[in-house]
């Protein structure tokens, strides 16, 4: 039996309509703000769901958007994979039926493959393609040893060529942005100068993660690097790094000069972080999200996985994130790692709700 059959034939829209309300997420997803410059569009809602390898599938993007994210990104997609990998690779960039639009993040080093990927993505997604982002930030050795990801920080000439290739292939109709880090090695910040080169190549925005590549995800992100990049360029800057809660997201936008904040791990088990951040930015206190709401969100998210045909083993991580801190959380996680079907996960959710009510 397929995951979709387990979900009783429900579409993602059906799932959100039926299960979004109890989870306190929107049953209908607002499109990325239209009209005006990219800066003006970001200012209408400056909180974005970051690209996350192995996480940013359609179900995750839908929960983030239903939770208030202005835009969600695919996980980073290899241009070489799109060229050589066939339909399975292309499925990584396909929006779900309920997604009004999305941002596609590409990585690689060959301008000709970027041209092909940009053209193919633009044709495949049509009006649902909000922007193309080029990953120049990934610090993982298996990526950087090929000159990809954050290794491009050492090669601004090639990085510029990749930006121009995407812009030329889409005739400038689609914003092309880049995501970078402070630099490759601790103490050697190149981000402001590199950002200026990307702006000169035509990038519509710069996303900057406030760590050096060799820090991986350890230590603290330096938000001062975001300010320095914002001071160096005239295009919008999107901040990233250590956005762990709604208040941090609002601070990043209000204190660094960033036009928007990109939220990654702070969204684990917390799809409301985006709407809560907007509340904080407007001077309100965000609501508390209790056990019943979190269990309801877990149920909704697992049903979205099923409705999009995803591998339901992904829900094992979701259980750990949504049920963290709840009664018997360790036992519930232990049961979740042995789940295979939608019904298995829903039974764990029922038990979590019962334990929280005792």
């Amino acid at each position: 039996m397929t995951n979709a059959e387990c979900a009783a034939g429900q579409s993602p829209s059906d799932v959100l309509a039926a299960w979004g309300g109890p989870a306190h997420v929107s049953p209908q997803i607002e499109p990325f703000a239209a009209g005006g410059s990219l800066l003006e569009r970001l200012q209408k809602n400056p909180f974005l769901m970051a690209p996350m390898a192995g996480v940013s599938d359609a179900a995750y993007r839908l929960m983030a958007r239903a939770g208030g994210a202005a835009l969600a990104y695919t996980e980073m997609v290899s241009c070489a994979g799109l060229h050589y990998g066939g339909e399975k690779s292309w499925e990584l960039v396909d929006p779900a039926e309920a997604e009004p639009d999305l941002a596609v993040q590409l990585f690689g080093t060959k301008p000709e493959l970027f041209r092909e990927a940009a053209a193919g993505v633009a044709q495949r997604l049509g009006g649902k393609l909000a922007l193309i982002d080029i990953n120049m930030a990934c610090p993982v050795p298996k990526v950087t040893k090929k000159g990809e990801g954050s290794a491009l920080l050492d090669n601004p000439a090639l990085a510029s060529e990749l930006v121009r290739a995407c812009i030329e292939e889409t005739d400038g109709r689609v914003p092309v942005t880049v995501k970078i880090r402070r630099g490759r090695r601790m103490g050697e910040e190149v981000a402001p100068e590199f950002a200026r080169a990307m702006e000169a190549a035509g990038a519509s925005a710069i996303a900057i993660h406030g760590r050096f590549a060799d820090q991986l995800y350890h230590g603290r992100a330096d938000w001062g690097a975001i300010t320095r990049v914002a001071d160096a360029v005239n295009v919008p800057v999107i901040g990233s790094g250590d956005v762990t809660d709604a208040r941090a997201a609002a601070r990043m936008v209000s204190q660094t000069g960033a036009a928007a904040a990109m939220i990654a791990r702070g969204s684990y088990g917390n799809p409301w972080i985006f709407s809560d951040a907007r509340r904080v930015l407007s001077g309100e206190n965000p609501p508390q999200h209790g056990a019943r709401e979190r269990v309801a969100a877990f149920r909704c998210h697992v049903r979205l996985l099923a409705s999009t045909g995803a591998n339901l083993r992904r829900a094992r991580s979701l259980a750990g994130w949504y049920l963290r801190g709840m009664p018997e959380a360790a036992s519930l996680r232990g049961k979740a790692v042995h789940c295979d079907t939608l019904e298995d996960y829903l039974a764990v959710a029922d038990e979590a709700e019962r334990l929280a009510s005792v």
Side-chain angles (χ1 to χ4, degrees), residues 220-282:
R220 292 181 62 85
D222 180 4
W223 288 7
I226 300 169
T227 301
R228 290 188 287 277
V229 170
D231 289 341
V233 298
N234 295 310
V235 294
V237 169
I238 301 166
S240 174
D242 290 353
V243 184
T244 55
D245 56 39
R247 294 190 185 280
R251 282 198 307 274
M252 179 173 280
V253 170
S254 63
Q255 296 178 8
T256 65
M262 188 176 273
I263 302 173
R265 289 178 288 176
S267 67
Y268 287 2
N270 185 10
W272 313 279
I273 189 171
F274 306 97
S275 57
D276 287 350
R278 293 183 73 182
R279 290 188 177 96
V280 174
L281 197 61
S282 65

Side-chain angles (χ1 to χ4, degrees), residues 1-12 14-15 302-312 340-343 346:
M1 181 179 291
T2 68
N3 293 342
E5 288 169 339
C6 286
Q10 285 187 312
S11 70
D14 293 335
V15 171
V302 176
R303 287 179 179 276
L304 283 171
L305 277 175
S307 72
T308 56
N311 189 329
L312 286 182
D340 292 309
T341 68
L342 175 61
E343 289 76 12
L346 295 179

Side-chain angles (χ1 to χ4, degrees), residues 332-356:
L332 293 168
R333 288 196 302 271
K335 292 179 179 180
V337 299
H338 297 291
C339 290
D340 292 309
T341 68
L342 175 61
E343 289 76 12
D344 291 340
Y345 289 107
L346 295 179
V348 171
D350 290 344
E351 184 174 356
E353 186 170 42
R354 179 183 62 78
L355 290 168

Side-chain angles (χ1 to χ4, degrees), residues 164-179:
R164 288 192 293 268
C166 290
I167 293 171
E168 290 167 5
E169 201 58 41
T170 58
D171 296 324
R173 298 187 308 273
V174 179
V176 175
T177 66
V178 301
K179 187 179 183 191

Side-chain angles (χ1 to χ4, degrees), residues 87-138:
E87 191 61 25
K88 281 292 182 183
S89 295
W90 279 100
E91 287 175 2
L92 293 172
V93 307
D94 284 340
E97 157 267 343
E99 288 183 279
D101 42 48
L102 80 161
V104 174
Q105 188 183 71
L106 302 174
F107 77 101
T109 58
K110 298 184 183 302
E112 64 274 19
L113 293 186
F114 269 90
R115 287 181 182 277
E116 180 184 299
V121 166
Q123 181 178 18
R124 192 172 181 113
L125 272 65
K128 285 196 172 188
L129 179 59
L131 60 84
I132 292 173
D133 185 68
I134 302 176
N135 185 297
M136 303 181 183
C138 180

